[in-house]
Amino acid sequence: MTEHTTPVAAPLRLTGPRTDPAPVADERRALTESLEYYRRTFELKCAGLNPAQLSERSVPPSTLTLHGLLRHLTGCERWWFRIQFMGEDLPNLYYSDDDPEQDFTDLGGDVDEAFSLWHAECERSREIVAAGSLEQTGIRRSTGEPFTLRWLMLRMIGEYARHIGQADLIRERIDGETGE
């Protein structure tokens, strides 16, 4: 018996202006350009979707959405660069001890405002990196231990890389688009 299958079109590929990190660079440039590359990649994963699509869950019961990842990454930028590294006295974004998962579960608010806040936090992080030495230290609040700007940049590159993989799967589920 012959099985009938419907041909499946190749998925669309997301593209856009994004610069690969320089393949030959000093440490600061390599870290900075890599983090920028991943920030831009995340933004491309969200491009062209409306607010409802950005808030669409990946696969229930998972609470992962692109909007939630956006909120989470915004909070990470503020928490790591401003609150922990620079010691700025600011409230956490999308987090409380009573509701530590609210970045993913409470998707109220305007998506455009969430993107504006993410852009502002990324810009402040860029300013901190530009003004600091890779050996400069911040203090990790949970342990009181110091960490360097170098370590922080590596951590944020990992944070974005991990969540871009999730974003890629969410995006493909929403409209079939994939990308690098």
Side-chain angles (χ1 to χ4, degrees), residues 79-118:
W79 170 251
W80 282 105
F81 283 102
R82 298 180 72 184
I83 296 173
Q84 292 205 101
F85 186 72
M86 294 302 295
E88 294 181 22
D89 186 20
L90 299 168
N92 282 314
L93 296 171
Y94 315 119
Y95 174 89
S96 71
D97 289 338
D98 294 335
D99 189 3
E101 297 294 318
Q102 71 180 332
D103 47 357
F104 295 113
T105 60
D106 177 10
L107 299 180
D110 183 82
V111 174
D112 289 335
E113 287 177 17
F115 270 107
S116 291
L117 184 55
W118 177 65

mmCIF file of all heavy atoms in Angstrom, residues 79-118:
data_model
loop_
_atom_site.group_PDB
_atom_site.id
_atom_site.type_symbol
_atom_site.label_atom_id
_atom_site.label_comp_id
_atom_site.label_asym_id
_atom_site.label_seq_id
_atom_site.Cartn_x
_atom_site.Cartn_y
_atom_site.Cartn_z
ATOM 1 N N TRP A 79 19.287 43.379 35.416
ATOM 2 C CA TRP A 79 19.773 42.689 36.615
ATOM 3 C C TRP A 79 21.286 42.544 36.607
ATOM 4 O O TRP A 79 21.960 42.866 37.579
ATOM 5 C CB TRP A 79 19.097 41.321 36.737
ATOM 6 C CG TRP A 79 19.678 40.434 37.787
ATOM 7 C CD1 TRP A 79 20.411 39.310 37.593
ATOM 8 C CD2 TRP A 79 19.582 40.601 39.208
ATOM 9 N NE1 TRP A 79 20.785 38.762 38.788
ATOM 10 C CE2 TRP A 79 20.278 39.537 39.810
ATOM 11 C CE3 TRP A 79 18.983 41.549 40.031
ATOM 12 C CZ2 TRP A 79 20.394 39.397 41.181
ATOM 13 C CZ3 TRP A 79 19.097 41.398 41.403
ATOM 14 C CH2 TRP A 79 19.787 40.330 41.965
ATOM 15 N N TRP A 80 21.815 42.046 35.488
ATOM 16 C CA TRP A 80 23.246 41.757 35.466
ATOM 17 C C TRP A 80 24.109 42.992 35.292
ATOM 18 O O TRP A 80 25.068 43.191 36.035
ATOM 19 C CB TRP A 80 23.562 40.720 34.376
ATOM 20 C CG TRP A 80 23.200 39.345 34.823
ATOM 21 C CD1 TRP A 80 22.123 38.599 34.432
ATOM 22 C CD2 TRP A 80 23.887 38.566 35.799
ATOM 23 N NE1 TRP A 80 22.118 37.404 35.094
ATOM 24 C CE2 TRP A 80 23.193 37.348 35.937
ATOM 25 C CE3 TRP A 80 25.033 38.767 36.561
ATOM 26 C CZ2 TRP A 80 23.598 36.349 36.794
ATOM 27 C CZ3 TRP A 80 25.446 37.760 37.419
ATOM 28 C CH2 TRP A 80 24.732 36.573 37.533
ATOM 29 N N PHE A 81 23.783 43.829 34.322
ATOM 30 C CA PHE A 81 24.652 44.976 34.064
ATOM 31 C C PHE A 81 24.446 46.110 35.056
ATOM 32 O O PHE A 81 25.411 46.665 35.566
ATOM 33 C CB PHE A 81 24.458 45.506 32.627
ATOM 34 C CG PHE A 81 25.131 44.675 31.585
ATOM 35 C CD1 PHE A 81 24.386 43.792 30.813
ATOM 36 C CD2 PHE A 81 26.488 44.759 31.365
ATOM 37 C CE1 PHE A 81 24.997 43.009 29.845
ATOM 38 C CE2 PHE A 81 27.122 43.990 30.407
ATOM 39 C CZ PHE A 81 26.368 43.108 29.648
ATOM 40 N N ARG A 82 23.229 46.470 35.337
ATOM 41 C CA ARG A 82 22.974 47.659 36.139
ATOM 42 C C ARG A 82 22.919 47.370 37.633
ATOM 43 O O ARG A 82 23.560 48.060 38.425
ATOM 44 C CB ARG A 82 21.674 48.318 35.673
ATOM 45 C CG ARG A 82 21.784 48.775 34.220
ATOM 46 C CD ARG A 82 20.528 49.413 33.737
ATOM 47 N NE ARG A 82 20.401 50.730 34.363
ATOM 48 C CZ ARG A 82 19.360 51.517 34.199
ATOM 49 N NH1 ARG A 82 18.350 51.143 33.439
ATOM 50 N NH2 ARG A 82 19.314 52.704 34.792
ATOM 51 N N ILE A 83 22.133 46.370 38.009
ATOM 52 C CA ILE A 83 21.921 46.123 39.439
ATOM 53 C C ILE A 83 23.129 45.425 40.055
ATOM 54 O O ILE A 83 23.664 45.872 41.070
ATOM 55 C CB ILE A 83 20.621 45.334 39.669
ATOM 56 C CG1 ILE A 83 19.417 46.178 39.216
ATOM 57 C CG2 ILE A 83 20.483 44.927 41.130
ATOM 58 C CD1 ILE A 83 18.075 45.447 39.234
ATOM 59 N N GLN A 84 23.568 44.330 39.450
ATOM 60 C CA GLN A 84 24.676 43.578 40.057
ATOM 61 C C GLN A 84 26.038 44.158 39.716
ATOM 62 O O GLN A 84 26.864 44.338 40.595
ATOM 63 C CB GLN A 84 24.608 42.105 39.658
ATOM 64 C CG GLN A 84 23.417 41.384 40.270
ATOM 65 C CD GLN A 84 23.648 39.913 40.387
ATOM 66 O OE1 GLN A 84 23.954 39.422 41.459
ATOM 67 N NE2 GLN A 84 23.533 39.207 39.278
ATOM 68 N N PHE A 85 26.300 44.418 38.432
ATOM 69 C CA PHE A 85 27.633 44.880 38.059
ATOM 70 C C PHE A 85 27.888 46.312 38.510
ATOM 71 O O PHE A 85 28.904 46.603 39.130
ATOM 72 C CB PHE A 85 27.855 44.745 36.542
ATOM 73 C CG PHE A 85 29.255 45.080 36.131
ATOM 74 C CD1 PHE A 85 30.301 44.219 36.435
ATOM 75 C CD2 PHE A 85 29.528 46.249 35.456
ATOM 76 C CE1 PHE A 85 31.612 44.532 36.064
ATOM 77 C CE2 PHE A 85 30.820 46.576 35.083
ATOM 78 C CZ PHE A 85 31.862 45.718 35.387
ATOM 79 N N MET A 86 26.973 47.218 38.212
ATOM 80 C CA MET A 86 27.173 48.628 38.557
ATOM 81 C C MET A 86 26.663 48.981 39.952
ATOM 82 O O MET A 86 26.962 50.053 40.463
ATOM 83 C CB MET A 86 26.495 49.530 37.514
ATOM 84 C CG MET A 86 27.122 49.448 36.137
ATOM 85 S SD MET A 86 28.873 49.882 36.105
ATOM 86 C CE MET A 86 28.818 51.606 36.554
ATOM 87 N N GLY A 87 25.868 48.101 40.553
ATOM 88 C CA GLY A 87 25.346 48.381 41.885
ATOM 89 C C GLY A 87 24.269 49.454 41.907
ATOM 90 O O GLY A 87 24.029 50.073 42.951
ATOM 91 N N GLU A 88 23.615 49.688 40.779
ATOM 92 C CA GLU A 88 22.547 50.686 40.730
ATOM 93 C C GLU A 88 21.355 50.202 41.553
ATOM 94 O O GLU A 88 21.022 49.021 41.542
ATOM 95 C CB GLU A 88 22.120 50.958 39.284
ATOM 96 C CG GLU A 88 23.192 51.622 38.453
ATOM 97 C CD GLU A 88 22.745 51.900 37.018
ATOM 98 O OE1 GLU A 88 21.534 51.971 36.746
ATOM 99 O OE2 GLU A 88 23.637 52.036 36.163
ATOM 100 N N ASP A 89 20.723 51.115 42.260
ATOM 101 C CA ASP A 89 19.571 50.801 43.095
ATOM 102 C C ASP A 89 18.302 50.948 42.257
ATOM 103 O O ASP A 89 17.701 52.022 42.200
ATOM 104 C CB ASP A 89 19.536 51.728 44.316
ATOM 105 C CG ASP A 89 18.438 51.355 45.289
ATOM 106 O OD1 ASP A 89 17.956 50.209 45.241
ATOM 107 O OD2 ASP A 89 18.059 52.224 46.097
ATOM 108 N N LEU A 90 17.932 49.870 41.576
ATOM 109 C CA LEU A 90 16.780 49.866 40.681
ATOM 110 C C LEU A 90 15.884 48.682 41.001
ATOM 111 O O LEU A 90 16.364 47.643 41.473
ATOM 112 C CB LEU A 90 17.237 49.717 39.225
ATOM 113 C CG LEU A 90 18.131 50.791 38.647
ATOM 114 C CD1 LEU A 90 18.706 50.337 37.315
ATOM 115 C CD2 LEU A 90 17.326 52.068 38.474
ATOM 116 N N PRO A 91 14.603 48.799 40.699
ATOM 117 C CA PRO A 91 13.734 47.628 40.875
ATOM 118 C C PRO A 91 14.004 46.600 39.782
ATOM 119 O O PRO A 91 14.424 46.954 38.672
ATOM 120 C CB PRO A 91 12.326 48.208 40.749
ATOM 121 C CG PRO A 91 12.491 49.430 39.907
ATOM 122 C CD PRO A 91 13.864 49.971 40.233
ATOM 123 N N ASN A 92 13.782 45.341 40.093
ATOM 124 C CA ASN A 92 13.835 44.302 39.070
ATOM 125 C C ASN A 92 12.685 44.509 38.100
ATOM 126 O O ASN A 92 11.643 45.060 38.466
ATOM 127 C CB ASN A 92 13.695 42.911 39.702
ATOM 128 C CG ASN A 92 14.955 42.438 40.342
ATOM 129 O OD1 ASN A 92 16.022 42.545 39.765
ATOM 130 N ND2 ASN A 92 14.852 41.899 41.545
ATOM 131 N N LEU A 93 12.858 44.062 36.901
ATOM 132 C CA LEU A 93 11.790 44.099 35.908
ATOM 133 C C LEU A 93 11.159 42.715 35.804
ATOM 134 O O LEU A 93 11.876 41.711 35.751
ATOM 135 C CB LEU A 93 12.351 44.489 34.534
ATOM 136 C CG LEU A 93 12.947 45.882 34.427
ATOM 137 C CD1 LEU A 93 13.647 46.051 33.086
ATOM 138 C CD2 LEU A 93 11.858 46.932 34.593
ATOM 139 N N TYR A 94 9.850 42.668 35.777
ATOM 140 C CA TYR A 94 9.128 41.424 35.519
ATOM 141 C C TYR A 94 9.509 40.298 36.471
ATOM 142 O O TYR A 94 9.543 39.131 36.094
ATOM 143 C CB TYR A 94 9.345 40.956 34.072
ATOM 144 C CG TYR A 94 9.226 42.040 33.043
ATOM 145 C CD1 TYR A 94 10.300 42.367 32.231
ATOM 146 C CD2 TYR A 94 8.044 42.740 32.873
ATOM 147 C CE1 TYR A 94 10.197 43.362 31.265
ATOM 148 C CE2 TYR A 94 7.936 43.741 31.914
ATOM 149 C CZ TYR A 94 9.016 44.045 31.115
ATOM 150 O OH TYR A 94 8.922 45.024 30.163
ATOM 151 N N TYR A 95 9.833 40.630 37.706
ATOM 152 C CA TYR A 95 10.230 39.619 38.689
ATOM 153 C C TYR A 95 9.857 40.117 40.078
ATOM 154 O O TYR A 95 10.013 41.292 40.398
ATOM 155 C CB TYR A 95 11.743 39.371 38.650
ATOM 156 C CG TYR A 95 12.205 38.449 39.752
ATOM 157 C CD1 TYR A 95 12.223 37.078 39.562
ATOM 158 C CD2 TYR A 95 12.572 38.952 40.996
ATOM 159 C CE1 TYR A 95 12.616 36.225 40.574
ATOM 160 C CE2 TYR A 95 12.967 38.095 42.022
ATOM 161 C CZ TYR A 95 12.983 36.740 41.803
ATOM 162 O OH TYR A 95 13.353 35.888 42.810
ATOM 163 N N SER A 96 9.406 39.192 40.896
ATOM 164 C CA SER A 96 9.253 39.443 42.327
ATOM 165 C C SER A 96 9.443 38.110 43.027
ATOM 166 O O SER A 96 9.287 37.045 42.416
ATOM 167 C CB SER A 96 7.880 40.035 42.654
ATOM 168 O OG SER A 96 6.867 39.064 42.492
ATOM 169 N N ASP A 97 9.773 38.150 44.306
ATOM 170 C CA ASP A 97 9.928 36.902 45.058
ATOM 171 C C ASP A 97 8.613 36.128 45.102
ATOM 172 O O ASP A 97 8.613 34.905 45.131
ATOM 173 C CB ASP A 97 10.429 37.185 46.474
ATOM 174 C CG ASP A 97 11.880 37.644 46.487
ATOM 175 O OD1 ASP A 97 12.612 37.349 45.516
ATOM 176 O OD2 ASP A 97 12.284 38.300 47.468
ATOM 177 N N ASP A 98 7.490 36.868 45.096
ATOM 178 C CA ASP A 98 6.179 36.218 45.098
ATOM 179 C C ASP A 98 5.833 35.587 43.757
ATOM 180 O O ASP A 98 5.049 34.647 43.698
ATOM 181 C CB ASP A 98 5.080 37.225 45.472
ATOM 182 C CG ASP A 98 5.205 37.718 46.898
ATOM 183 O OD1 ASP A 98 5.782 36.996 47.744
ATOM 184 O OD2 ASP A 98 4.734 38.840 47.168
ATOM 185 N N ASP A 99 6.371 36.121 42.684
ATOM 186 C CA ASP A 99 6.076 35.626 41.336
ATOM 187 C C ASP A 99 7.346 35.670 40.484
ATOM 188 O O ASP A 99 7.492 36.501 39.591
ATOM 189 C CB ASP A 99 4.965 36.468 40.696
ATOM 190 C CG ASP A 99 4.452 35.878 39.391
ATOM 191 O OD1 ASP A 99 4.904 34.782 38.985
ATOM 192 O OD2 ASP A 99 3.601 36.534 38.764
ATOM 193 N N PRO A 100 8.277 34.748 40.747
ATOM 194 C CA PRO A 100 9.561 34.794 40.036
ATOM 195 C C PRO A 100 9.470 34.468 38.538
ATOM 196 O O PRO A 100 10.402 34.747 37.797
ATOM 197 C CB PRO A 100 10.414 33.759 40.776
ATOM 198 C CG PRO A 100 9.442 32.869 41.457
ATOM 199 C CD PRO A 100 8.230 33.691 41.737
ATOM 200 N N GLU A 101 8.373 33.921 38.098
ATOM 201 C CA GLU A 101 8.217 33.561 36.682
ATOM 202 C C GLU A 101 7.341 34.547 35.915
ATOM 203 O O GLU A 101 6.917 34.262 34.795
ATOM 204 C CB GLU A 101 7.630 32.153 36.558
ATOM 205 C CG GLU A 101 8.511 31.064 37.135
ATOM 206 C CD GLU A 101 9.811 30.910 36.365
ATOM 207 O OE1 GLU A 101 9.783 30.957 35.118
ATOM 208 O OE2 GLU A 101 10.862 30.736 37.008
ATOM 209 N N GLN A 102 7.067 35.716 36.499
ATOM 210 C CA GLN A 102 6.128 36.623 35.850
ATOM 211 C C GLN A 102 6.619 37.147 34.507
ATOM 212 O O GLN A 102 5.804 37.553 33.673
ATOM 213 C CB GLN A 102 5.732 37.760 36.782
ATOM 214 C CG GLN A 102 6.801 38.774 37.064
ATOM 215 C CD GLN A 102 6.309 39.856 38.004
ATOM 216 O OE1 GLN A 102 5.130 40.167 38.052
ATOM 217 N NE2 GLN A 102 7.220 40.432 38.747
ATOM 218 N N ASP A 103 7.922 37.121 34.257
ATOM 219 C CA ASP A 103 8.389 37.540 32.930
ATOM 220 C C ASP A 103 7.800 36.638 31.847
ATOM 221 O O ASP A 103 7.504 37.088 30.748
ATOM 222 C CB ASP A 103 9.918 37.593 32.838
ATOM 223 C CG ASP A 103 10.633 36.385 33.391
ATOM 224 O OD1 ASP A 103 9.990 35.461 33.926
ATOM 225 O OD2 ASP A 103 11.863 36.362 33.303
ATOM 226 N N PHE A 104 7.572 35.380 32.167
ATOM 227 C CA PHE A 104 7.016 34.436 31.203
ATOM 228 C C PHE A 104 5.505 34.285 31.311
ATOM 229 O O PHE A 104 4.842 33.991 30.324
ATOM 230 C CB PHE A 104 7.662 33.064 31.362
ATOM 231 C CG PHE A 104 9.128 33.056 31.032
ATOM 232 C CD1 PHE A 104 10.072 32.833 32.018
ATOM 233 C CD2 PHE A 104 9.567 33.266 29.741
ATOM 234 C CE1 PHE A 104 11.425 32.829 31.715
ATOM 235 C CE2 PHE A 104 10.918 33.278 29.427
ATOM 236 C CZ PHE A 104 11.849 33.055 30.421
ATOM 237 N N THR A 105 4.959 34.442 32.514
ATOM 238 C CA THR A 105 3.546 34.121 32.719
ATOM 239 C C THR A 105 2.599 35.306 32.684
ATOM 240 O O THR A 105 1.424 35.145 32.394
ATOM 241 C CB THR A 105 3.356 33.378 34.055
ATOM 242 O OG1 THR A 105 3.810 34.216 35.125
ATOM 243 C CG2 THR A 105 4.121 32.059 34.068
ATOM 244 N N ASP A 106 3.053 36.504 32.976
ATOM 245 C CA ASP A 106 2.202 37.693 32.992
ATOM 246 C C ASP A 106 2.565 38.563 31.790
ATOM 247 O O ASP A 106 3.487 39.354 31.854
ATOM 248 C CB ASP A 106 2.398 38.472 34.297
ATOM 249 C CG ASP A 106 1.586 39.756 34.332
ATOM 250 O OD1 ASP A 106 0.724 39.962 33.450
ATOM 251 O OD2 ASP A 106 1.809 40.558 35.247
ATOM 252 N N LEU A 107 1.837 38.370 30.705
ATOM 253 C CA LEU A 107 2.185 39.058 29.462
ATOM 254 C C LEU A 107 1.339 40.300 29.223
ATOM 255 O O LEU A 107 1.123 40.714 28.085
ATOM 256 C CB LEU A 107 2.081 38.093 28.276
ATOM 257 C CG LEU A 107 3.008 36.878 28.363
ATOM 258 C CD1 LEU A 107 2.829 35.980 27.161
ATOM 259 C CD2 LEU A 107 4.458 37.304 28.511
ATOM 260 N N GLY A 108 0.880 40.912 30.308
ATOM 261 C CA GLY A 108 0.150 42.163 30.175
ATOM 262 C C GLY A 108 1.076 43.262 29.700
ATOM 263 O O GLY A 108 2.295 43.143 29.738
ATOM 264 N N GLY A 109 0.480 44.332 29.241
ATOM 265 C CA GLY A 109 1.288 45.461 28.790
ATOM 266 C C GLY A 109 1.488 45.447 27.296
ATOM 267 O O GLY A 109 1.246 44.451 26.617
ATOM 268 N N ASP A 110 1.934 46.546 26.802
ATOM 269 C CA ASP A 110 2.115 46.768 25.380
ATOM 270 C C ASP A 110 3.442 46.178 24.908
ATOM 271 O O ASP A 110 4.489 46.460 25.496
ATOM 272 C CB ASP A 110 2.068 48.285 25.127
ATOM 273 C CG ASP A 110 2.184 48.622 23.664
ATOM 274 O OD1 ASP A 110 1.157 48.559 22.970
ATOM 275 O OD2 ASP A 110 3.314 48.938 23.229
ATOM 276 N N VAL A 111 3.392 45.386 23.854
ATOM 277 C CA VAL A 111 4.606 44.753 23.313
ATOM 278 C C VAL A 111 5.589 45.802 22.794
ATOM 279 O O VAL A 111 6.799 45.670 22.987
ATOM 280 C CB VAL A 111 4.253 43.724 22.219
ATOM 281 C CG1 VAL A 111 5.505 43.177 21.562
ATOM 282 C CG2 VAL A 111 3.429 42.594 22.794
ATOM 283 N N ASP A 112 5.070 46.857 22.156
ATOM 284 C CA ASP A 112 5.968 47.904 21.667
ATOM 285 C C ASP A 112 6.713 48.568 22.818
ATOM 286 O O ASP A 112 7.902 48.876 22.707
ATOM 287 C CB ASP A 112 5.201 48.956 20.859
ATOM 288 C CG ASP A 112 4.741 48.426 19.508
ATOM 289 O OD1 ASP A 112 5.369 47.486 18.987
ATOM 290 O OD2 ASP A 112 3.743 48.958 18.980
ATOM 291 N N GLU A 113 6.026 48.777 23.932
ATOM 292 C CA GLU A 113 6.690 49.333 25.112
ATOM 293 C C GLU A 113 7.739 48.367 25.649
ATOM 294 O O GLU A 113 8.805 48.784 26.088
ATOM 295 C CB GLU A 113 5.666 49.667 26.196
ATOM 296 C CG GLU A 113 4.829 50.879 25.888
ATOM 297 C CD GLU A 113 3.770 51.150 26.948
ATOM 298 O OE1 GLU A 113 3.877 50.616 28.076
ATOM 299 O OE2 GLU A 113 2.827 51.896 26.632
ATOM 300 N N ALA A 114 7.437 47.073 25.604
ATOM 301 C CA ALA A 114 8.409 46.070 26.057
ATOM 302 C C ALA A 114 9.661 46.109 25.188
ATOM 303 O O ALA A 114 10.787 46.020 25.702
ATOM 304 C CB ALA A 114 7.782 44.672 26.051
ATOM 305 N N PHE A 115 9.480 46.264 23.868
ATOM 306 C CA PHE A 115 10.645 46.380 22.983
ATOM 307 C C PHE A 115 11.414 47.666 23.254
ATOM 308 O O PHE A 115 12.643 47.670 23.258
ATOM 309 C CB PHE A 115 10.244 46.302 21.503
ATOM 310 C CG PHE A 115 10.238 44.914 20.956
ATOM 311 C CD1 PHE A 115 9.047 44.270 20.691
ATOM 312 C CD2 PHE A 115 11.426 44.238 20.724
ATOM 313 C CE1 PHE A 115 9.032 42.970 20.208
ATOM 314 C CE2 PHE A 115 11.429 42.936 20.232
ATOM 315 C CZ PHE A 115 10.221 42.302 19.979
ATOM 316 N N SER A 116 10.712 48.752 23.494
ATOM 317 C CA SER A 116 11.386 50.027 23.807
ATOM 318 C C SER A 116 12.210 49.904 25.075
ATOM 319 O O SER A 116 13.352 50.390 25.144
ATOM 320 C CB SER A 116 10.359 51.152 23.967
ATOM 321 O OG SER A 116 9.776 51.453 22.733
ATOM 322 N N LEU A 117 11.661 49.250 26.085
ATOM 323 C CA LEU A 117 12.395 49.065 27.333
ATOM 324 C C LEU A 117 13.608 48.163 27.112
ATOM 325 O O LEU A 117 14.694 48.432 27.630
ATOM 326 C CB LEU A 117 11.478 48.499 28.414
ATOM 327 C CG LEU A 117 12.078 48.347 29.798
ATOM 328 C CD1 LEU A 117 12.670 49.656 30.321
ATOM 329 C CD2 LEU A 117 11.026 47.827 30.770
ATOM 330 N N TRP A 118 13.452 47.098 26.330
ATOM 331 C CA TRP A 118 14.583 46.216 26.025
ATOM 332 C C TRP A 118 15.679 47.003 25.309
ATOM 333 O O TRP A 118 16.856 46.898 25.671
ATOM 334 C CB TRP A 118 14.117 45.031 25.176
ATOM 335 C CG TRP A 118 15.220 44.105 24.753
ATOM 336 C CD1 TRP A 118 16.001 43.319 25.560
ATOM 337 C CD2 TRP A 118 15.663 43.862 23.416
ATOM 338 N NE1 TRP A 118 16.906 42.598 24.791
ATOM 339 C CE2 TRP A 118 16.709 42.916 23.478
ATOM 340 C CE3 TRP A 118 15.269 44.350 22.172
ATOM 341 C CZ2 TRP A 118 17.367 42.445 22.342
ATOM 342 C CZ3 TRP A 118 15.913 43.879 21.047
ATOM 343 C CH2 TRP A 118 16.962 42.932 21.138
#
